[in-house]
Amino acid sequence: MLENIIDQSRIEALDAMLANVDKCVILTHSRPDGDAMGSSLALSLFLRARGKQVVVVVPNEYPPFLAWLPSIGDVLIYDKNQAEAEAALRAADLFFCLDFNALSRIDAVGQVVAEVDAPRVLIDHHLAPDTIFDIAVSHPEACSTAELVFRVMWQMGAVDEITREMAECVYTGIMTDTGNFAYASGRKDVYYIVAELISKGIDKDLIYRKVFYNYSFNRLRLMGYMMHEKLRYFPEKNAALLTLTYDELKRFNGAKGDTEGFVNMPLQIKGARFSCFMREETEGKINVSLRSVDDFPCNKVAEKFFNGGGHKNASGGEVRGTMNDAVRLFEQVLQTFSAELTE
Ligand code: 5GP
Ligand code: MN
């Protein structure tokens, strides 16, 4: 049996709130990943089936390997369709904020949301959420926000309302945020939930192939280049660095999502504890992804050096400057965190 981890009073408050609203807007973070999209779409399908008008608004494009998710075609991408997205935001009776913990994580969408007088419900698994939410379902111990969306439906007593499409979205969130059950996935509840999703008719192996075996030829060539030419390993610090300039990405005809997952690969090196991937997004802006194993806190690195944050083992941020500036910061990280990296 699944243990209830969400305070039941929050579920009751949410039920009461839902009874009085019609237009729900679901928001998720910038550069949305499998959990952001999976959790948002699962909730949108659930609320629509209950008769609500629901719009999912994302700050910018989702990666192409998620394009098959049920109802993803209805999502409004703020970057591309600002007028329509803004109209939906301003008409909202209720906001659901999924897989992020502060309005700064949703870029320009956050400024609009801050101006709209509608209650905000947080469903998220990041540490230390902001205090701007009227109901906060915040559980850093959850493997994914998708797990929490499942739990909300479960604790509402609505498990019979979960369709195969909703289950596919939830599974995608859990699978991607745990690296296909490689991390943050040691609690037995995760497998109880997966069993429930399978009983809803999902084909988990097919979902795996749709998400992870969906790369372009260019992506594999770029990966080979990165591992052969660009990977630097610092054995005395158990740390790795990958960098990619905009010109290099273009040389391989790389698309935006083509670098997804590269940051994890150096952790396959025996003894590696910390991996950093720096990608030039536009001139003067370097996107930083960080991953670690065990207790090395890459969220602290992100906060201290890269104006970002995240989870202990997966975090991110950015550098305003050149790639050389970014690499110099990485070298400082290795100095500053030398003890934690080598202990
Ligand atoms: P990724 O490397 O996949 O872009 O991000 C990994 C995780 O780091 C995300 O799930 C998110 O929790 C966190 N993260 C990435 N960028 C930022 C950022 O700029 N600020 C904060 N607070 N967290 C971030
Ligand atoms: Mn997540």
Side-chain angles (χ1 to χ4, degrees):
M1 189 64 181
L2 189 60
E3 262 175 63
N4 289 352
I5 65 169
I6 303 167
D7 191 340
Q8 197 63 28
S9 67
R10 296 209 166 92
I11 300 289
E12 283 159 21
L14 177 58
D15 262 331
M17 205 177 254
L18 275 173
N20 295 313
V21 300
D22 180 34
K23 297 194 186 76
C24 300
V25 173
I26 300 175
L27 307 164
T28 194
H29 62 77
S30 183
R31 300 200 307 119
D33 57 10
D35 187 32
M37 296 313 300
S39 59
S40 298
L41 293 171
L43 183 64
S44 73
L45 293 168
F46 175 74
L47 294 173
R48 265 181 215 143
R50 285 196 160 190
K52 305 295 176 194
Q53 280 188 51
V54 186
V55 183
V56 178
V57 177
V58 296
N60 38 41
E61 186 69 271
Y62 49 81
F65 60 82
L66 298 174
W68 62 274
L69 280 170
S71 80
I72 201 164
D74 300 338
V75 169
L76 288 182
I77 301 167
Y78 187 86
D79 250 8
K80 285 186 159 174
N81 206 339
Q82 197 172 328
E84 206 182 333
E86 199 160 325
L89 294 170
R90 296 207 184 272
D93 298 328
L94 175 60
F95 289 114
F96 283 93
C97 300
L98 266 58
D99 204 36
F100 66 95
N101 58 4
L103 292 185
S104 60
R105 295 281 290 127
I106 55 173
D107 300 351
V109 175
Q111 281 131 45
V112 184
V113 171
E115 290 169 18
V116 179
D117 184 23
R120 303 163 184 149
V121 176
L122 176 76
I123 305 178
D124 179 47
H125 68 136
H126 294 86
L127 290 165
D130 211 332
T131 52
I132 58 157
F133 302 102
D134 298 272
I135 298 176
V137 176
S138 166
H139 288 270
E141 74 276 27
C143 72
S144 57
T145 298
E147 171 186 336
L148 293 172
V149 167
F150 180 91
R151 286 179 177 281
V152 167
M153 298 189 287
W154 173 272
Q155 288 192 223
M156 278 180 164
V159 75
D160 291 344
E161 295 169 50
I162 300 176
T163 61
R164 194 193 70 212
E165 286 75 18
M166 295 173 205
E168 285 170 346
C169 295
V170 170
Y171 187 79
T172 300
I174 294 176
M175 180 188 78
T176 53
D177 252 27
T178 62
N180 200 37
F181 307 94
Y183 36 80
S185 53
R187 289 159 32 257
K188 72 178 185 347
D189 280 8
V190 175
Y191 303 92
Y192 186 96
I193 293 171
V194 169
E196 287 289 322
L197 299 174
I198 289 172
S199 76
K200 296 289 180 184
I202 68 162
D203 182 340
K204 70 174 266 302
D205 297 352
L206 180 61
I207 293 175
Y208 179 90
R209 290 202 302 281
K210 282 181 173 174
V211 172
F212 293 118
Y213 285 10
N214 188 18
Y215 293 125
S216 64
F217 180 51
N218 287 334
R219 141 110 178 175
L220 258 72
R221 291 185 58 243
L222 175 62
M223 185 174 16
Y225 168 72
M226 295 295 288
M227 295 305 135
H228 190 254
E229 307 279 330
K230 301 301 305 280
L231 176 60
R232 291 171 66 190
Y233 190 57
F234 303 83
E236 70 288 358
K237 304 283 188 207
N238 304 314
L241 175 64
L242 283 166
T243 60
L244 181 67
T245 65
Y246 187 77
D247 287 344
E248 286 171 316
L249 183 65
K250 285 299 126 199
R251 193 147 34 99
F252 285 86
N253 286 320
K256 227 176 176 179
D258 280 347
T259 59
E260 190 75 34
F262 285 0
V263 64
N264 295 301
M265 290 174 186
L267 292 176
Q268 295 174 14
I269 300 169
K270 187 177 178 192
R273 302 189 66 197
F274 175 52
S275 171
C276 172
F277 175 41
M278 295 174 153
R279 180 176 56 84
E280 185 182 38
E281 196 167 292
T282 50
E283 198 173 332
K285 183 168 185 278
I286 314 287
N287 197 288
V288 179
S289 281
L290 305 172
R291 297 292 185 275
S292 67
V293 293
D294 299 332
D295 283 336
F296 185 72
C298 53
N299 50 349
K300 296 225 172 90
V301 175
E303 283 160 24
K304 203 171 159 82
F305 284 90
F306 301 118
N307 195 27
H311 311 274
K312 185 177 73 182
N313 294 136
S315 55
E318 62 175 40
V319 175
R320 296 281 169 167
T322 64
M323 189 59 89
N324 281 339
D325 298 333
V327 171
R328 268 197 294 278
L329 275 173
F330 175 79
E331 285 160 358
Q332 281 181 35
V333 169
L334 295 193
Q335 292 302 320
T336 308
F337 287 85
S338 183
E340 291 93 329
L341 284 166
T342 53
E343 73 191 4

